[in-house]
């Protein structure tokens, strides 16, 4: 395990600027080959995505997908794909590989998304994660009955289905093995409460209780934690 590195930022603007800069480094660092990024949804990363989109060379077309997705249509207000579309803009989304695909079941979409991502190079260039106050990351939730299997670092990288009772809809999520197969792993946290949760996560080792612990424990590179109060 490589010890994580915590970067504290003064406020949300500085946090967004720092994460956008990392995204640009990941996109520009591929030696001319298209970069592959796995990005998170939720309420924290949108400002970083907007900054990134403004700075991105319009001729550069990285490939994106989501760390996880709510199993809702892509025009649903809860959709992470909608968040990416609204913050990155239509141009960069040309390289987007969706997890929700309109399949008959979450399992059908998970299988189709896994197949669509099968030819992605591993490790990917960047995985950007958030964390919930229950210690979940992506949609690896402590109350998901299947979480232990999703946290196996030796499992084949895949998109799986999660049905945590705490959430209003089924989730599609990359498993741990897919999330740690990355050259850079960034954990983006906003708010003092998240820093307290991070302290609790780092003080224990039961990943089923706080799945973010599995990323911190098994990441092959130091997780870059970027946080602001
Ligand atoms: C999602 C995210 C999820 C998120 C955390 C933190 O679908 O909601 O991918 O894993 O990163 O829940 O969410 P906030 O950024 O809203 O605190």
């Amino acid at each position: 395990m490589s010890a994580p590195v915590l970067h504290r930022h003064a406020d949300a603007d500085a946090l967004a600027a720092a994460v956008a800069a990392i995204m640009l480094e990941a996109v520009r660092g591929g030696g001319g080959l298209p970069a592959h990024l796995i990005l998170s949804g939720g309420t924290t990363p949108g400002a970083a995505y907007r900054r990134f989109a403004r700075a991105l060379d319009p001729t550069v077309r990285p490939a994106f997908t989501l760390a996880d997705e709510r199993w809702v249509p892509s025009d649903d207000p809860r959709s992470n794909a909608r968040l990416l579309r609204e913050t990155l803009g239509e141009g960069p989304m040309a390289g987007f590989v969706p997890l929700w695909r309109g399949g008959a079941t979450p399992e059908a979409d998970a299988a189709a998304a896994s197949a669509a991502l099968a030819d992605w190079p591993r490790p990917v260039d960047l995985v950007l994660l958030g964390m919930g106050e229950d210690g979940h990351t992506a949609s690896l939730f402590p109350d998901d009955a299947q979480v232990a299997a999703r946290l196996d670092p030796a499992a084949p990288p895949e998109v799986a289905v999660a049905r945590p009772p705490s959430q209003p809809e089924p989730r599609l999520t990359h498993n741990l093995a897919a999330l740690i197969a990355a050259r850079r792993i960034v954990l983006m946290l906003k708010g003092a409460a998240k820093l307290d949760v991070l302290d609790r996560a780092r003080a224990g080792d039961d990943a089923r209780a706080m799945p973010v612990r599995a990323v911190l424990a098994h990441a092959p590179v130091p997780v870059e934690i970027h946080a602001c109060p």
Side-chain angles (χ1 to χ4, degrees):
M1 164 181 160
S2 316
V5 179
L6 176 57
H7 303 267
R8 294 177 183 271
H9 300 281
D11 55 32
D13 277 348
L15 174 64
V19 171
I22 291 171
M23 293 174 66
L24 288 165
E25 286 168 10
V27 166
R28 293 165 179 163
L33 295 173
H36 292 74
L37 288 72
I38 299 180
L39 304 176
S40 281
T43 61
T44 299
Y49 298 160
R50 287 191 175 89
R51 283 174 176 265
F52 168 73
R54 285 198 297 270
L56 184 63
D57 178 337
T59 65
V60 174
R61 281 286 172 258
F64 300 92
T65 193
L66 281 160
D68 66 319
E69 180 62 285
R70 297 81 178 275
W71 198 63
V72 295
S74 57
D75 59 357
D76 188 293
R78 285 184 54 76
S79 164
N80 286 334
R82 174 171 167 170
L83 169 77
L84 288 190
R85 196 169 53 251
E86 290 176 345
T87 53
L88 294 176
E90 290 305 334
M93 290 298 279
F96 177 57
V97 178
L99 302 189
W100 181 88
R101 310 169 80 88
T105 63
E107 285 74 12
D109 274 349
S114 293
L117 295 164
D119 65 348
W120 268 36
R122 308 285 173 160
V124 297
D125 295 286
L126 174 65
V127 169
L128 174 61
L129 296 172
M131 182 187 69
E133 296 199 13
D134 59 358
H136 82 262
T137 191
S139 282
L140 303 171
F141 282 87
D143 64 331
D144 175 38
Q146 302 292 322
V147 73
R150 310 283 183 260
L151 294 177
D152 178 358
E158 66 170 0
V159 176
V161 176
R163 285 187 167 83
S166 60
Q167 301 304 310
E169 69 279 299
R171 296 290 189 98
L172 300 171
T173 185
H174 279 87
N175 63 355
L176 175 75
L179 296 175
I180 60 174
R183 293 191 178 81
R184 294 184 78 171
I185 302 170
V186 172
L187 181 61
M188 186 181 186
L189 308 175
K190 183 168 69 176
K194 293 288 182 73
L195 282 166
D196 293 342
V197 174
L198 176 68
D199 287 345
R200 265 195 298 122
R202 295 182 70 176
D205 56 11
D206 180 357
R208 291 182 61 172
M210 298 185 82
V212 71
R213 287 173 172 159
V215 174
L216 299 174
H218 296 289
V221 294
V223 176
E224 301 167 62
I225 304 171
H226 286 261
C228 74

